[in-house]
Amino acid sequence: MSVLRGVGIGLGVAQGPVVRMTEASPPPENAPSAIGADAERARARDAVTAVAEELNARGEAAGGSAREVLEAQAMIAEDPTLQDEVDTRIDAGATAEWAVHDAFAGFRATLQAVGGYLGERAADLDDIAQRVLARLRGADAPGVPDPGYPFVLVARDLAPADTALLDLDKVLALITTDGGPTSHTAILAREKGIVAVVGAADAATLTSGQTVIVDAAAGTVTVDPSADESVRATERAAARRSAVAAPPTPGALGDGTRIALLANLGKPADAADAVARGAEGVGLFRTEFLFLSAAQAPTVAQQRTAYRELLAAFPGKKVVVRMLDAGADKPLAFLNDAHEENPAMGLRGLRALRASEDILREQLTALAEADTETGAELWVMAPMVTTVEETAYFTGLAREYGLKTAGVMVEVPASALLADRVLAHADFASIGTNDLTQYTMAADRMLGSVAGFQDPWHPAVLRLVREVGDAGARAGKPVGICGEAAADPLLAVVLIGLGATSLSMAPSALADVRLAISERTLDEARRLAEVALAADDAAGARHAVVEAAAALPSHQKETTS
Ligand code: PEP
Ligand code: MG
């Protein structure tokens, strides 16, 4: 038994036999046949027939349009012209492997030259050729395998095209050797609720057929588990399924400390789903999402309609609405159309609103009107606030409109470091960890090449969160988290330990975060936060917290994790 480590996505646990994603095999050598043309021809024909049968069988099982595609592939495999091309090469002394490889490549080039619909089938030919070659070599076919039973998929990483084909009834869990918490695979796994451990480099040693337990909560893969471990994993998986399916309860730590679990929303129509998942209100309503394609500023009436619909979905509940956050990743033509070399650091967020104060005033007017017409508890906040003066400007303006609770987003290190001064003017702070990480790590959140720096577990980011948490505690004012970090169950516990008093996230993350925080006391959350702060980097912080959490006594852990 050995344990491999990576980054777990969510809290799930699953076990089953490993099936490796098969990489394309290297092309064969053009060496002369050692067994003669008759034997090579028979090998080639058997392999082609077997592949055609397998494709037909898979089509039958899949049904629908997949069936048509797979049956067409089976017909291509057995195409007589292609067979003749293979035989011609074998008669000239080639092995079945080389003859298949070369004949299919020639056919592919012809299809590509024709172009159009036939040209698009060229990639299908590659797939069929790889399948026939794999048969001849006694290897597995490339791509997402279909062994005919549920399995744990092990891959280097998944291409978007592969993920689209994943049959979630068959794939019990995913393990990747590459990719991090922000990789495409991780995002997909989070969205679909697939149990996953990504970036587990040592999983390269796993072989098909080995049994593994994939524990996303711990970020571990246990290879060849004992019978005891296997039984425990089965029990945990069943307990988690029922905990996630149970009617949602308000967010609370294991010692009863209340931590409101709120939803991040971009349009009022998503409110019902958030409520169904137990959102206790809205921690971030991104108003700019309503107007991303608008050329003109929305009217007060248009805005009031949208805000009224949102607020009406949360009677008596807190709803935090953010003023239009224009710029960089969310450009709004009517607020910032100037070309900037470095828009993330340009006239964005509150800076842009201030430069078009009439738009800001209209938004506050619409919100104040919607507030009087509905029964939610409306809080308003400004994005990308950098200075104490900006804080005073925004909260003063909001109060002019009769809005009772006005706060700021802390997304820039400057406002985190001066959080005590900022909170002297604001009723609350809400930390946007996406931008706070971007600005702390000097890593563009839109740029894949620096994605490795974009990790909110980094102790530098966590220290800034602590500054805000401490300032909030001293001032007796709420400090929420509304960046993606709040959706990571273990990091959510750390953020509470750093002083967060509420967490807001994509509604799909609520169940796992609710479960994770219920397993820790406030004192434990604080201890885990200290562990994270003491690390050198993001990976070290995550790893140290996973280890420290595993060593803590469990509260509801045995029954619900
Ligand atoms: C953030 O920056 O963390 C945040 C919540 O705001 P957005 O992602 O919309 O920039
Ligand atoms: Mg932001």
Side-chain angles (χ1 to χ4, degrees):
M1 192 272 287
S2 65
V3 176
L4 316 177
R5 295 194 178 279
V7 176
I9 306 297
L11 287 180
V13 60
Q15 62 184 316
V18 163
V19 173
R20 290 200 67 95
M21 178 99 166
T22 320
E23 311 285 336
S25 43
E29 305 260 321
N30 185 8
S33 167
I35 57 172
D38 287 347
E40 296 286 7
R41 263 201 304 275
R43 286 181 70 227
R45 236 185 309 278
D46 286 352
V48 164
T49 308
V51 166
E53 278 171 2
E54 188 208 323
L55 289 169
N56 279 323
R58 287 181 66 177
E60 180 105 351
S65 54
R67 177 184 184 148
E68 284 164 33
V69 172
L70 291 167
E71 282 177 358
Q73 283 205 326
M75 279 175 69
I76 296 174
E78 293 190 295
D79 184 285
T81 320
L82 206 41
Q83 292 299 312
D84 286 349
E85 291 289 325
V86 170
D87 287 350
T88 307
R89 285 162 178 76
I90 289 176
D91 290 342
T95 59
E97 283 87 345
W98 174 259
V100 166
H101 166 76
D102 198 48
F104 274 71
F107 213 64
R108 179 192 213 286
T110 311
L111 286 188
Q112 246 175 344
V114 175
Y117 176 80
L118 286 176
E120 287 169 20
R121 302 281 71 73
D124 292 359
L125 267 182
D126 283 345
D127 183 56
I128 300 163
Q130 280 290 336
R131 288 178 185 281
V132 177
L133 266 181
R135 277 275 163 179
L136 287 166
R137 288 167 163 165
D140 292 331
V144 176
D146 180 8
Y149 52 82
F151 61 99
V152 174
L153 180 62
V154 179
R156 204 145 47 80
D157 205 352
L158 291 184
D162 294 325
T163 51
L165 289 176
L166 279 191
D167 178 348
L168 299 186
D169 288 335
K170 298 252 176 67
V171 180
L172 299 165
L174 265 183
I175 305 169
T176 66
T177 53
D178 297 1
T182 54
S183 64
H184 176 90
T185 314
I187 291 165
L188 177 105
R190 209 174 277 126
E191 256 176 37
K192 307 253 178 207
I194 303 174
V195 179
V197 170
V198 300
D202 292 340
T205 58
L206 291 173
T207 53
S208 291
Q210 271 182 309
T211 299
V212 289
I213 295 174
V214 183
D215 186 341
T220 57
V221 176
T222 304
V223 189
D224 297 327
S226 66
D228 257 13
E229 284 170 322
S230 189
V231 169
R232 269 207 305 279
T234 308
E235 287 170 357
R236 281 185 50 201
R240 178 170 176 270
R241 267 196 304 277
S242 64
V244 167
T249 50
L253 297 176
D255 57 11
T257 308
R258 285 277 289 116
I259 301 288
L261 298 180
L262 309 163
N264 287 354
L265 297 181
K267 53 183 192 302
D270 293 339
D273 173 59
V275 171
R277 291 173 186 267
E280 298 170 58
V282 177
L284 168 64
F285 184 69
R286 292 178 160 108
T287 54
E288 63 282 355
F289 280 17
L290 294 172
F291 310 113
L292 281 178
S293 52
Q296 309 291 329
T299 63
V300 170
Q302 276 172 328
Q303 293 190 66
R304 190 178 56 217
T305 305
Y307 303 150
R308 210 172 28 207
E309 187 184 343
L310 171 75
L311 296 174
F314 295 94
K317 303 269 175 60
K318 174 166 108 179
V319 176
V320 185
V321 175
R322 173 171 78 184
M323 300 297 109
L324 293 164
D325 183 17
D329 52 314
K330 301 176 287 264
L332 290 180
F334 57 88
L335 256 176
N336 49 1
D337 59 356
H339 174 76
E340 294 174 330
E341 283 299 324
N342 207 344
M345 298 199 186
L347 197 67
R348 60 164 299 196
L350 182 60
R351 300 171 190 180
L353 286 169
R354 214 170 169 179
S356 302
E357 197 184 274
D358 48 336
I359 294 180
L360 174 55
R361 285 184 177 276
E362 282 173 7
Q363 189 171 23
L364 290 168
T365 304
L367 281 163
E369 289 178 5
D371 190 25
T372 55
E373 295 163 13
T374 48
E377 189 191 325
L378 174 64
W379 294 19
V380 294
M381 66 181 179
M384 257 289 283
V385 172
T386 311
T387 67
V388 177
E389 189 275 333
E390 282 181 326
T391 309
Y393 163 77
F394 173 70
T395 54
L397 203 60
R399 288 183 192 117
E400 243 183 63
Y401 286 82
L403 293 159
K404 287 186 280 302
T405 312
V408 297
M409 285 194 74
V410 175
E411 308 183 90
V412 179
S415 56
L417 291 166
L418 292 191
D420 51 347
R421 305 304 317 137
V422 163
L423 279 169
H425 298 275
D427 296 321
F428 68 95
S430 180
I431 305 177
T433 50
N434 307 334
D435 276 315
L436 187 61
T437 307
Q438 156 165 268
Y439 295 125
T440 306
M441 303 302 292
D444 187 337
R445 63 192 269 190
M446 306 290 283
L447 203 58
S449 56
V450 293
F453 290 94
Q454 258 288 335
D455 192 334
W457 274 95
H458 198 284
V461 178
L462 301 180
R463 277 197 198 191
L464 291 171
V465 173
R466 182 183 58 182
E467 287 293 329
V468 189
D470 287 353
R474 282 197 299 274
K477 293 188 175 176
V479 172
I481 309 279
C482 65
E484 280 301 299
D488 173 336
L490 192 57
L491 186 49
V493 173
V494 169
L495 295 169
I496 292 168
L498 293 169
T501 56
S502 68
L503 302 171
S504 190
M505 65 205 76
S508 61
L510 284 165
D512 273 345
V513 171
R514 183 180 298 115
L515 188 56
I517 69 169
S518 74
E519 291 168 356
R520 299 288 158 229
T521 64
L522 185 56
D523 184 51
E524 287 169 346
R526 287 179 176 147
R527 275 192 274 155
L528 293 176
E530 288 305 322
V531 168
L533 287 167
D536 285 345
D537 54 27
R542 184 188 289 107
H543 180 67
V545 171
V546 166
E547 301 265 292
L552 286 173
S554 65
H555 299 273
Q556 302 180 16
K557 205 171 157 202
E558 287 309 317
T559 52
T560 59
S561 62

